[in-house]
Amino acid sequence: MKPVSNERYYRLCTLADLDMLVNISKETFIAAFEKDNDPNDFVDYIGSAFSPEQLRQELDTKGTRFYFVYEDMDLVGYFKLNTGKAQSDIKDRVSLELERIYVLPNKQGLGIGAWILEQVIAIAKNDALDYVWLGVWEHNPKAIRFYLRYGFTKFGTHPYFIGGDKQTDWLLRLKV
C-alpha cells in the first residue's frame, strides 16, 4: 500500500530494512515475553532468533514476507507471513501462516493489531487462499481472546522453544 500522511499503511520489507527489522523484532518480543521466561533461555533465544543473520535468511526465503506497519509515517509494528514450504508447520498450499504480528508497546491499545489482522485476511483472500493459521502461546490469554474474537478456532498444538524451554503453542485457523 502507498504511504499517505495521517493514515495507517503497511509496506513489504526488503534487505535494506534489515537493521530496522532486527530492532523492532527484538523490542516487541522482549516487551511481550521477557517477564514470562527464564532470563538465560530468553537472552539466548533473542540473540539467535532475531540476529541479523537469521532475519536476513528469513527475508531471503521464498514464500516468506515481512511487512512494516506505519501510522502517521511512524513505524508502529510489523507482521510476517509464510506460504507454501516456508510455513513453520502446516505447509498447505492453500493456507497462509501469520507467524508474527507485533505492535510497539507504546502503540498498543489503538486498534493497530486488529487493523493488521484485517490486512492479513485481505491478503489471504486476494491470494485466493482458503485459510489463515497461526500459533499462539497457550499462556497468552489476551492474544488467544483476540484471535477467537475474529473467528479463529483451535485445531491443534505444536512445540515452541525459547532456548531450552519447550513451550506449547495453540494452532488456530480462520477460513477466509
Side-chain angles (χ1 to χ4, degrees):
M1 300 186 73
K2 289 189 169 191
V4 180
S5 183
N6 298 320
E7 288 190 22
R8 201 171 280 162
Y9 64 96
Y10 64 90
R11 73 166 179 83
L12 185 65
C13 295
T14 68
L15 283 175
D17 298 313
L18 183 60
D19 289 341
M20 282 190 343
L21 183 59
V22 168
N23 291 337
I24 195 169
S25 296
K26 287 181 178 180
E27 181 179 352
T28 55
F29 197 85
I30 289 168
F33 300 112
E34 182 177 36
K35 67 186 179 310
D36 298 319
N37 285 278
D38 174 86
N40 294 324
D41 282 336
F42 196 77
V43 167
D44 290 345
Y45 178 80
I46 293 295
S48 63
F50 303 118
S51 70
E53 298 78 20
Q54 178 62 36
L55 291 177
R56 180 181 295 110
Q57 180 182 343
E58 291 177 30
L59 279 166
D60 282 339
T61 299
K62 182 181 179 189
T64 293
R65 297 172 285 179
F66 286 89
Y67 295 91
F68 284 148
V69 177
Y70 292 87
E71 187 165 85
D72 298 330
M73 308 302 284
D74 294 324
L75 180 63
V76 297
Y78 81 103
F79 59 102
K80 178 184 179 189
L81 303 178
N82 297 314
T83 56
K85 294 178 182 176
Q87 294 178 83
S88 64
D89 203 328
I90 306 304
K91 301 183 190 323
D92 187 345
R93 63 177 180 74
V94 295
S95 69
L96 176 68
E97 177 187 16
L98 174 55
E99 185 177 352
R100 295 184 192 145
I101 177 173
Y102 288 99
V103 175
L104 290 169
N106 65 338
K107 297 295 182 177
Q108 292 183 4
L110 302 175
I112 297 168
W115 183 87
I116 293 172
L117 187 55
E118 290 166 6
Q119 305 314 303
V120 169
I121 293 166
I123 289 168
K125 287 179 180 178
N126 188 60
D127 291 348
L129 299 171
D130 291 347
Y131 63 97
V132 174
W133 73 273
L134 56 90
V136 60
W137 189 30
E138 67 181 345
H139 297 296
N140 190 347
K142 183 178 175 185
I144 290 169
R145 280 191 307 275
F146 172 75
Y147 293 119
L148 294 179
R149 235 182 11 252
Y150 273 86
F152 281 81
T153 57
K154 183 179 177 186
F155 69 96
T157 63
H158 71 186
Y160 187 83
F161 289 86
I162 300 288
D165 183 19
K166 182 180 179 183
Q167 301 180 2
T168 301
D169 274 0
W170 285 13
L171 298 179
L172 304 179
R173 170 178 21 215
L174 175 70
K175 185 168 177 49
V176 295

